Amino acid sequence: MSDNPPLFAAQEPIFPRRVSGFFRRLKWWIMAVTLGIYYLVPWIRWDRGPNLPDQAVLVDLASRRFYFFWIEIWPHEFYFVAGLLIMAGLGLFLFTSALGRVWCGYACPQTVWTDLFLLVERWIEGDRNARLRLWKAPWGFTKWRLRLTKWIVWLLIAVATGGAWVFYFADAPTLARALVSFEAPAVAYITIGILTATTFVFGGFMREQVCIYMCPWPRIQGAMMDEGTLTVGYRDWRGEPRGKGGAKRQAVAESVGGAQKVRYGKGAAKIDEMDKDHAAPRLSRTGEELGDCIDCMACVNVCPMGIDIREGQQMECITCALCIDACDEVMAKIGRPRGLIDYLALDDRPPVLPGEHAPVREMGSEALDEGAETGVPAPTAAARGDLSSDGTATASVAGAAAPAPNAADAPFITPHSRDWRPKPVWKHILRPRTMVYTFLWALIGFGLLFALFIRSDVELTVAPVRNPTFVTMSDGTIRNAYDIRLRNKHGEARDFQLSLSEAGGLALQLEGLDGTTVEVPADATMLQRVYVLAGPDDPAAEAERSEFRFWVEDTASGERAYRDTIFNGKESM
């Protein structure tokens, strides 16, 4: 037997722990909005007049139209769809270069439906520890009951997902009645079945697998990001070395900070009047100075991809920021500043190695004497937002649940006594790269809006009949034939009048009609055969080619459109 490892590693089940915080609430809001739009939009009604659909958003494949509220896109106007797709691509590039994979972490359908499936799973089976115990438990009545209940709810969500999709391609109330009575077209049931199966499998059983193996974006994102891109990361210069600390912290607090009252409760520190970050560095039981990371694994336990963000940027990370909420919660409990894990850039790193000590002062104040000690380790000092120029705390954490200061707000003094502070967010956003993407995105958007507002409700296309190029009548008159396609975008039938210009003595005839006016049905395209004649003595009859223009006018509104073409004379032979 071969000792070569398997090509694909076996899937390791991931059971994310429940977490609360700003980014988790933001994800709930985005999920509610996006799912609400997806499920409800097909049912919005929009009155377009007689003979037109009353659905606000509809992809009418039978009539080859796309309706979006007051906008109607015809097949020949596909450039609008192409422009929107280009804008979507540029928008993805823009957000990725500025904020990393925010699309993947917040608005991607795979992320949204996975969050919904996880919510159902947690509601039925319990939080992380309960699901782990259930996973390891043998199959019995309780396990079968919980699993079947969860799968049934997942299946109902998947059916609703596939059902909502088909409503975008037909009148929703009519199709819903047909589906229930089993009178809908077979393609509707097939589409619902396929989308139900993919939603059920991808959202329930292949959650992170889709992002890692099936989606190309994790492999493309590296080209879209640089060292100035804000993305979820770990401030190792502040958190390392990791450790939970020990009993010597109380003695160090008394020796360094004086008689500050620092009480330690079980699981979380309770702080009175003075902040223990200033009173004492975190020390291990052996006396080693520690960073802010207590190695609690909270960031790993909440990650839906099952990765450790402390190991650096990874392809699997979708920047959902749940690890930020988990870490901030832990920092608040132990009285440390928030932001150990945060949205940060690779170039936001202090020019001081972890563990080095340096004076701390506010920006603009007088520099402290070289070598002055504050008792605050450099990583902690750089993270503090509540230290004055003399190193004392100006604010304290009110309790275990109190929010801690932002880690990126305080200045930092390098060993060379130079101020250092992380770049503000706007400097990461407004960079040449993102501004170029924004300019291109806006340029295409304004171009589409301009084209949308200047387009006419009256259009025509002219196609000369080439076989034969002309016909000589019994009296010597030369006749050319043209197929003219008239397009009426109004909601009612309109009379269109045809005429010629720059044609000399050319005459116009409409096949099957008297006069030069034709009625075009509402919101429709009509093909009309038209004859143009040149008398025997007309120069156009003898010339090889003569240029002229077809005009069409809506007799009700006065809107006009034209197309240039040519008249073939005898010399064209």
Side-chain angles (χ1 to χ4, degrees):
M1 296 183 61
S2 174
D3 294 332
N4 293 330
L7 182 61
F8 295 102
Q11 180 183 6
E12 294 289 338
I14 299 173
F15 303 98
R17 180 177 66 82
R18 182 179 180 275
V19 66
S20 60
F22 171 80
F23 294 103
R24 178 65 269 180
R25 291 191 297 272
L26 178 62
K27 283 172 65 66
W28 287 138
W29 277 106
I30 292 176
M31 184 181 77
V33 171
T34 52
L35 290 178
I37 291 173
Y38 177 74
Y39 287 119
L40 299 179
V41 162
W43 301 93
I44 300 175
R45 303 291 94 189
W46 189 269
D47 185 13
R48 293 189 176 87
N51 305 318
L52 290 176
D54 291 331
Q55 190 159 308
V57 179
L58 177 65
V59 181
D60 191 350
L61 296 178
S63 301
R64 295 183 297 173
R65 309 277 175 79
F66 171 57
Y67 300 96
F68 185 81
F69 294 92
W70 64 91
I71 300 173
E72 181 180 345
I73 304 299
W74 289 57
H76 70 287
E77 296 174 326
F78 190 79
Y79 56 86
F80 283 109
V81 178
L84 290 175
L85 292 176
I86 295 173
M87 288 185 66
L90 286 175
L92 192 58
F93 294 165
L94 169 62
F95 282 106
T96 302
S97 65
L99 298 170
R101 294 175 62 184
V102 288
W103 163 260
C104 300
Y106 297 91
C108 174
Q110 173 67 15
T111 297
V112 171
W113 265 274
T114 296
D115 270 357
L116 182 59
F117 276 36
L118 278 171
L119 179 65
V120 171
E121 183 175 89
R122 191 178 295 118
W123 171 55
I124 295 174
E125 296 182 351
D127 205 358
R128 171 181 166 82
N129 292 337
R131 300 203 306 277
L132 278 170
R133 288 193 298 269
L134 186 66
W135 173 265
K136 297 176 182 178
W139 285 95
F141 174 77
T142 300
K143 188 169 183 176
W144 274 111
R145 176 178 59 83
L146 294 176
R147 287 296 168 85
L148 288 176
T149 303
K150 178 181 70 174
W151 292 341
I152 289 172
V153 177
W154 282 0
L155 190 60
L156 293 175
I157 295 172
V159 171
T161 301
W165 178 255
V166 298
F167 291 148
Y168 283 89
F169 297 87
D171 183 64
T174 303
L175 180 58
R177 288 191 293 268
L179 288 170
V180 172
S181 60
F182 298 100
E183 298 175 354
V187 66
Y189 293 106
I190 294 173
T191 302
I192 293 175
I194 293 174
L195 290 177
T196 297
T198 53
T199 304
F200 183 76
V201 174
F202 291 169
F205 302 97
M206 295 180 62
R207 298 163 180 168
E208 71 283 355
Q209 307 295 93
V210 172
C211 300
I212 296 173
Y213 298 111
M214 299 177 63
C215 180
W217 189 239
R219 292 151 182 85
I220 300 173
Q221 66 165 338
M224 298 294 105
M225 299 169 61
D226 55 32
E227 62 180 11
T229 299
L230 286 172
T231 188
V232 176
Y234 168 65
R235 290 189 168 95
D236 57 345
W237 52 268
R238 170 186 158 189
E240 300 296 326
R242 309 171 196 172
K244 299 189 183 334
K248 289 189 176 182
R249 292 171 60 188
Q250 179 70 25
V252 176
E254 295 175 355
S255 62
V256 176
Q260 293 93 345
K261 293 186 294 182
V262 181
R263 301 197 307 269
Y264 297 94
K266 184 177 181 181
K270 298 179 180 179
I271 307 162
D272 288 273
E273 298 177 1
M274 297 299 291
D275 192 329
K276 73 171 180 296
D277 267 351
H278 174 244
R282 284 189 352 102
L283 299 179
S284 69
R285 294 183 182 275
T286 60
E288 178 188 10
E289 187 173 315
L290 300 174
D292 281 354
C293 179
I294 64 173
D295 205 17
C296 62
M297 302 296 288
C299 55
V300 180
N301 293 337
V302 302
C303 179
M305 303 298 290
I307 64 172
D308 189 345
I309 193 63
R310 298 172 299 177
E311 296 178 0
Q313 287 298 308
Q314 298 156 68
M315 182 189 70
E316 295 85 354
C317 179
I318 60 173
T319 66
C320 63
L322 296 182
C323 54
I324 299 179
D325 285 337
C327 187
D328 286 351
E329 185 178 5
V330 172
M331 291 297 103
K333 288 179 178 179
I334 67 172
R336 294 285 172 168
R338 69 161 303 278
L340 179 60
I341 299 176
D342 206 351
Y343 271 100
L344 53 91
L346 294 178
D347 59 5
D348 277 348
R349 190 179 185 88
V352 177
L353 295 177
E356 291 183 350
H357 291 257
V360 179
R361 62 179 174 85
E362 295 180 349
M363 296 291 287
S365 62
E366 296 297 330
L368 299 180
D369 294 336
E370 190 73 26
E373 291 292 340
T374 62
V376 185
T380 303
R384 294 301 309 194
D386 56 350
L387 295 179
S388 63
S389 59
D390 60 356
T392 59
T394 59
S396 62
V397 179
N406 193 320
D409 288 342
F412 187 78
I413 302 299
T414 71
H416 306 289
S417 299
R418 291 197 300 266
D419 291 326
W420 175 86
R421 180 192 296 267
K423 293 179 183 177
V425 173
W426 68 267
K427 286 190 176 181
H428 291 286
I429 302 298
L430 299 180
R431 294 179 290 130
R433 184 175 191 166
T434 58
M435 287 190 286
V436 169
Y437 285 141
T438 304
F439 173 77
L440 294 175
W441 186 87
L443 184 65
I444 296 173
F446 283 122
L448 292 178
L449 288 175
F450 180 75
L452 182 65
F453 283 113
I454 68 168
R455 67 175 184 169
S456 173
D457 290 331
V458 177
E459 293 184 0
L460 80 159
T461 58
V462 177
V465 177
R466 300 297 185 185
N467 189 20
T469 55
F470 68 89
V471 174
T472 303
M473 312 298 289
S474 59
D475 62 352
T477 300
I478 303 298
R479 187 183 76 179
N480 284 200
Y482 302 85
D483 285 332
I484 295 184
R485 193 175 298 275
L486 301 170
R487 188 173 292 109
N488 174 22
K489 296 182 178 180
H490 292 283
E492 65 278 344
R494 294 291 180 93
D495 288 334
F496 285 4
Q497 184 176 21
L498 293 167
S499 60
L500 307 176
S501 67
E502 303 174 7
L506 296 180
L508 179 67
Q509 290 182 356
L510 274 60
E511 184 179 69
L513 297 172
D514 295 329
T516 58
T517 301
V518 59
E519 183 182 68
V520 181
D523 200 57
T525 299
M526 179 178 180
L527 185 64
Q528 176 66 46
R529 176 62 63 88
V530 175
Y531 300 111
V532 178
L533 302 95
D537 299 329
D538 193 302
E542 299 294 336
E544 179 181 357
R545 294 181 178 180
S546 301
E547 295 182 355
F548 72 98
R549 176 174 293 177
F550 272 110
W551 280 94
V552 60
E553 179 178 354
D554 182 350
T555 57
S557 65
E559 289 184 274
R560 305 181 72 195
Y562 68 88
R563 285 293 182 272
D564 292 322
T565 186
I566 60 171
F567 183 87
N568 294 300
K570 295 179 181 180
E571 291 295 329
S572 62
M573 294 297 294

